[in-house]
Every structure is written in structure tokens, then in C-alpha cells.
Amino acid sequence: MKKTLVSMAAILAATSAFAESHAMALPQAGSDWYAAGQSHIEAMLARQPNTGRAKNVIVFVADGNGVGTNYAVRLFDGQQKGMLGEENVLPYETPEWYSALVKTYNINAQTPDSAPTAGALNTGVKQRFNLINLGENAIHDDCTTEEGNRLTTFAEIVSGMDKSVGIVSTARITHATPAAVYAKTANRNWEGEIEGDCAGSKDIATQLIDQMEAGVIDMAMGGGGRFFLPEGKTNGQSKGRRTDGVNLIDRATGLGAQFAEDTAGFEALTMDAPILALFNDSHMEYEADRADEDEPSLADMTRKSIEFLSQNENGYYLEVEAGRVDHANHDGNAYRTLSDGVAFAEAVALADEMTDDADTLIIVTADHEHAIAFNGYCGRGSDILGLCMGVSKEGEANDGTPLTAADGKPYTVLGYLNGAGSVLKEPTDGSNDWTGSRSDLTQEEATDIDYVQQALIPMSSETHSGEDVSVYAKGPWSHLLDSTIEQNVIFHVMKHAVDAE
């Protein structure tokens, strides 16, 4: 066996020497593309697996940011920086990060929902559609099946190791993805109260405060103030919707937590007490609209969270969600989808700067993809929000001429297979004969912030899709995220990293 290893090493050395000595004989060796390829290989060869114990774990989830949406974010970000776009590299796409493809289906759904996908990340098992952190025998909307099926979350595991836990989201903090850090429920929509036969069960907002009282959750920032206040009660932008008369904000502050509802309150938060921050009645604003609102950015919240949680010498677990990437996709509005995607990338870059790869595992992923699609054959640098331009015969940039379809009309680079932008129109004569045609679109119209992309199948809200998403990771045991994996495997990498000897 030893002789075989020596022989193999000799063969590899000889092969490397041969390739090096003959590299310049290749006609392409002088190309910038060739040099870039060589540099990439060298960077990957320099990687060394980190097998130390993870003191900290940070999971970034851009809701709905599958492979296709991420591609569009990459181009949008690059084009905003003055590039053609395709050559751009997002902060988590460099060779320092390991990566894999992730299968996102639920136990009973080919096309997944955010609740069980986020639950898989936080418990290590796949779950059923519309459930959060309940085992496979639980049934949607049936609270009687919660008992005996509640799963232990990663937050509960690491808090038992005396680590701190934080949650950040631009969605309601009770929405599916952030709720999966702390809640267990038979219906993801039971955010503020539960009616009918299940009225005695605990809603998600109540579960958050319960987990703060139990010492599992140390800080939570996002939107969704409506579910923490009783009807008739207001607090900043939040107008209460609870019919049980319970004021969960008062309960939290009574437990010693700090509360913030705007940027002034956010800036005033100190490092010496738990944090509850609710910056909007519902979801926080899209990044493209945030300048007019009194809300911190996703990067701002990420910075504050790391500063707060890193005080714990035993470490922490932080989940950061860019929740509104998903919502803009549902609306068929590419501009807001991609601007929120860029804000997400900026938050990842900031966290990477603030932490040490030696003891912090950072994971960047999505819960699912959307029914997003890309048209061809577009020339380089075609505006990802705009019209598909022709391929130039010389140079790199497109020729500036919009391509047209068989109907003689131009089309955008990006579209959706279904959604509110459907070219089919509902009949007004009572029949079921849907008809329609595409509009003769201009570049100015297509790149407008409020433009809804053209779609095929008419739906009030565009849907998720079952496509794979990517996962990127760096830090302790990040190299385990490789190949094509089931979504629940990500949890097992996190658990292995914090348990490693």
C-alpha cells in the first residue's frame, strides 16, 4: 500500500511538472481567461479543511434565493457597479467558500414551503408542508398532533451549551423562516392568535416570548409588531391585532428585555440586556424603499447582532434572513427582488469581516427557489432587468438591439413562469376562454422599479419552485457541505461543528 502511495505521488508530481513546462506552449496560455482559470485552481488547492470546533454559527437565508435568483442578483450587483455583470462575483462565491447543491422538497410536497424548509435547517429532519418543527406524524392545521411531535431545535441545543441565540429578519419575526428558530406549530399562519378548536394552543409570537423567558432566545429583530399588541393598542408603526388582550411587548420588557421600534431606538440599544426590536407593523420595507422609512438595513441589524452576541465567551448561533427577496419574487417584481438580494450579500460580507474563520462557521443558503426564468439569446451586459439585446460580432458587450420573439415584440431577460404579470387575461363574458398578447415593451418600462415581469400562467401570486438551491460555507467543518445534499444535512454539519473535539 505504501509503495502504491509513493508511486501515485511520483505520477502526480511528474504530471504537474509536465503541465507547468508545457503551459506556455498552449496558444491560449496568454489569455486573461486562461490566467484567471489557473488562479482559481491555485486558490482552491490552497484550501485546508478546518476541523476545529465552531464556537459560533451564523446561518444566512435569503428566502427564495435559489440558483436562478442568485444568478440574477449577481448580474444586478455587477451592473450596479458598472460591470457587464456576468463576470461579477458575490461575496460568498469566492474559492474560500465551500459549496453544494441542496434538495429542498418537503416530506409531502415536491415544491416546498418556507416553514418546513427552514425547519429542516433547524432540526435536521424534513417536515410536512406548512408545519414548523413538528415530526412526520403531525398534520397541518391539527393542533392535537403537536403533542408528541415537537422537535428539538438547534437553538435549544446550543443554548444548552450556554451559547447565545439571535434572529434577524426583514420579514415579520413570526414569519416561517425566523419562526423556525424557536417555534413549533401545526400551522405557520398561527402568528398572532389561533381561533376555533385550536384556540388553546400557543401562537408563534407567544412562543417567541416564551423562548426569551426560557433563555433560549437572547435577541430578535425584524417586523411584525401587529402580533405582539392587543387590538386598539399602537406602538410606533405597529397596530395591535391580538384579540386576547395580551401585550407581548410589555411582557418582554417586564422580563428585562430592551425594545426598539425605529432607528433611534435601534441605535440606543445597549449590550447588557436581551433585545426585542420590531420595526414595522408587518414586514420591513424593501431595500429599494427603505430610505423613506425609519428602519435599519439588514447589514445594520447583522452588525448589531454580532456585536451583542459575541459578548458570550461560549459563542452564539445567529440566523439572518433576507425575507423580502421571496416576497418580491411572489409579486413578479424583479427590481425589488434583486435590490434585496444585494443587501443580503452586503450583510454576508460584513459578517465575514467581523468574524474569524478559525472559530465561526458561516453558512449562506436559501430555503427554496421560485418560478423564475431567463430568456435567450442575450448578448453580454444585457440589463438583467431590461430587454434581451443581441450578441455582438466583435468585442464583449451586446449590440444594443433588442431581440424580438415570433410575435415581433421584444422580451426581457428575466421573466416568470406564473404570476400577476401573466399575458393571459381573464374573460369578461363569463366564459373560460382566456386570451391575451404581450405588450410592445420598451427598455424604460422594463427597468422601472415597479415593473411586474411578464409571466405565462395567470396567478395572483407567483409560486415557489422545486429546483435546488445552493449552500456556501466557510469556517469549521464547512468542507462537509459538498456534492448534492438533502436540506436537513445542513443542520448536521452545524451540529457536528459545535460538537467537534
Side-chain angles (χ1 to χ4, degrees):
M1 181 64 178
K2 184 177 180 181
K3 184 181 292 185
T4 303
L5 291 175
V6 171
S7 300
M8 183 59 70
I11 292 170
L12 289 173
T15 303
S16 177
F18 177 85
E20 189 172 318
S21 64
H22 287 73
M24 291 310 296
L26 297 173
Q28 63 267 38
S31 165
D32 290 343
W33 295 105
Y34 193 92
Q38 288 291 99
S39 295
H40 188 87
I41 291 296
E42 290 167 6
M44 294 187 73
L45 288 170
R47 295 193 301 189
Q48 296 295 323
N50 179 346
T51 56
R53 176 180 290 184
K55 176 181 177 181
N56 313 308
V57 177
I58 306 176
V59 175
F60 281 92
V61 180
D63 198 315
N65 191 56
V67 172
T69 301
N70 189 74
Y71 161 75
V73 172
R74 182 192 307 141
L75 266 66
F76 180 78
D77 179 56
Q79 290 170 354
Q80 294 290 99
K81 295 173 179 175
M83 305 177 186
L84 292 176
E86 297 83 1
E87 72 277 31
N88 186 41
V89 178
L90 293 170
Y92 44 85
E93 295 180 325
T94 64
E96 292 82 16
W97 296 74
Y98 291 90
S99 61
L101 288 175
V102 180
K103 297 189 287 184
T104 63
Y105 65 93
N106 304 147
I107 286 177
N108 59 338
Q110 183 181 83
T111 302
D113 170 55
S114 293
T117 50
L121 294 173
N122 280 280
T123 64
V125 296
K126 283 186 178 282
Q127 299 170 26
R128 292 189 174 277
F129 200 78
N130 278 334
L131 305 184
I132 299 178
N133 295 335
L134 298 182
E136 59 190 60
N137 294 320
I139 299 172
H140 173 235
D141 220 28
D142 184 350
C143 57
T144 65
T145 64
E146 292 178 352
E147 190 64 35
N149 282 301
R150 295 184 180 92
L151 304 171
T152 300
T153 65
F154 189 67
E156 290 170 326
I157 292 169
V158 298
S159 66
M161 302 167 71
D162 294 325
K163 295 182 185 294
S164 298
V165 178
I167 316 159
V168 167
S169 179
T170 52
R172 294 191 295 268
I173 204 66
T174 51
H175 216 234
T177 302
V181 176
Y182 61 86
K184 302 164 189 182
T185 180
N187 190 328
R188 58 166 288 178
N189 295 318
W190 290 342
E191 293 184 61
E193 60 180 309
I194 308 172
E195 299 177 348
D197 294 338
C198 289
S201 296
K202 287 189 177 182
D203 60 84
I204 294 171
T206 297
Q207 290 190 53
L208 173 57
I209 307 306
D210 284 351
Q211 291 284 53
M212 293 186 77
E213 183 173 13
V216 174
I217 302 299
D218 298 279
M219 56 143 296
M221 297 185 189
R226 63 173 64 168
F227 296 125
F228 291 80
L229 294 168
E231 280 185 330
K233 178 75 173 178
T234 61
N235 198 320
Q237 298 185 64
S238 299
K239 299 178 180 178
R241 291 194 177 187
R242 300 187 66 88
T243 58
D244 59 6
V246 175
N247 188 321
L248 291 175
I249 295 175
D250 283 353
R251 182 181 163 201
T253 56
L255 293 169
Q258 307 171 77
F259 178 71
E261 61 187 10
D262 52 26
T263 52
F266 173 79
E267 295 297 338
L269 290 170
T270 63
M271 299 288 110
D272 57 1
I275 294 171
L276 176 65
L278 303 170
F279 299 111
N280 202 303
D281 182 61
S282 184
H283 305 300
M284 293 180 67
E285 297 299 318
Y286 288 111
E287 180 64 20
D289 306 317
R290 188 179 58 81
D292 297 328
E293 300 296 331
D294 197 9
E295 299 179 354
S297 69
L298 187 62
D300 292 335
M301 292 189 289
T302 299
R303 176 186 289 107
K304 181 79 75 173
S305 299
I306 293 174
E307 290 172 347
F308 177 77
L309 296 170
S310 61
Q311 297 177 109
N312 187 339
E313 61 182 15
N314 297 311
Y316 60 85
Y317 168 47
L318 171 64
E319 182 184 282
V320 179
E321 185 206 21
R324 308 229 63 195
V325 173
D326 175 76
H327 301 159
N329 261 332
H330 278 306
D331 290 342
N333 178 224
Y335 192 105
R336 289 181 173 83
T337 297
L338 305 186
S339 55
D340 268 49
V342 170
F344 173 76
E346 292 170 349
V348 173
L350 175 65
D352 192 20
E353 292 173 6
M354 294 182 68
T355 56
D356 187 345
D357 292 352
D359 66 4
T360 302
L361 172 63
I362 302 181
I363 295 174
V364 178
T365 191
D367 45 359
H368 57 74
E369 178 59 296
H370 279 261
I372 194 170
F374 302 92
N375 296 310
Y377 294 95
C378 310
R380 281 284 304 278
S382 292
D383 190 328
I384 188 63
L385 295 174
L387 303 179
C388 181
M389 302 295 183
V391 175
S392 178
K393 292 183 178 180
E394 297 182 1
E396 296 182 344
N398 64 79
D399 65 10
T401 303
L403 297 180
T404 55
D407 59 5
K409 297 174 182 178
Y411 52 88
T412 56
V413 178
L414 189 162
Y416 292 92
L417 293 176
N418 64 66
S422 174
V423 296
L424 299 177
K425 304 303 176 186
E426 188 173 5
T428 58
D429 60 1
S431 70
N432 196 35
D433 298 324
W434 290 68
T435 59
S437 61
R438 298 191 312 115
S439 61
D440 199 357
L441 193 62
T442 68
Q443 181 78 342
E444 182 179 10
E445 291 170 331
T447 56
D448 185 83
I449 186 174
D450 294 318
Y451 179 67
V452 174
Q453 309 298 128
Q454 290 179 348
L456 175 59
I457 300 170
M459 290 189 176
S460 59
S461 177
E462 177 269 352
T463 70
H464 298 173
S465 80
E467 290 178 70
D468 293 347
V469 302
S470 296
V471 60
Y472 306 87
K474 67 185 311 193
W477 299 97
S478 55
H479 60 284
L480 295 182
L481 290 167
D482 191 17
S483 70
T484 300
I485 63 174
E486 297 287 358
Q487 193 164 42
N488 54 294
V489 170
I490 295 174
F491 165 94
H492 294 276
V493 174
M494 293 158 52
K495 187 173 185 301
H496 182 80
V498 297
D499 286 339
E501 294 297 333

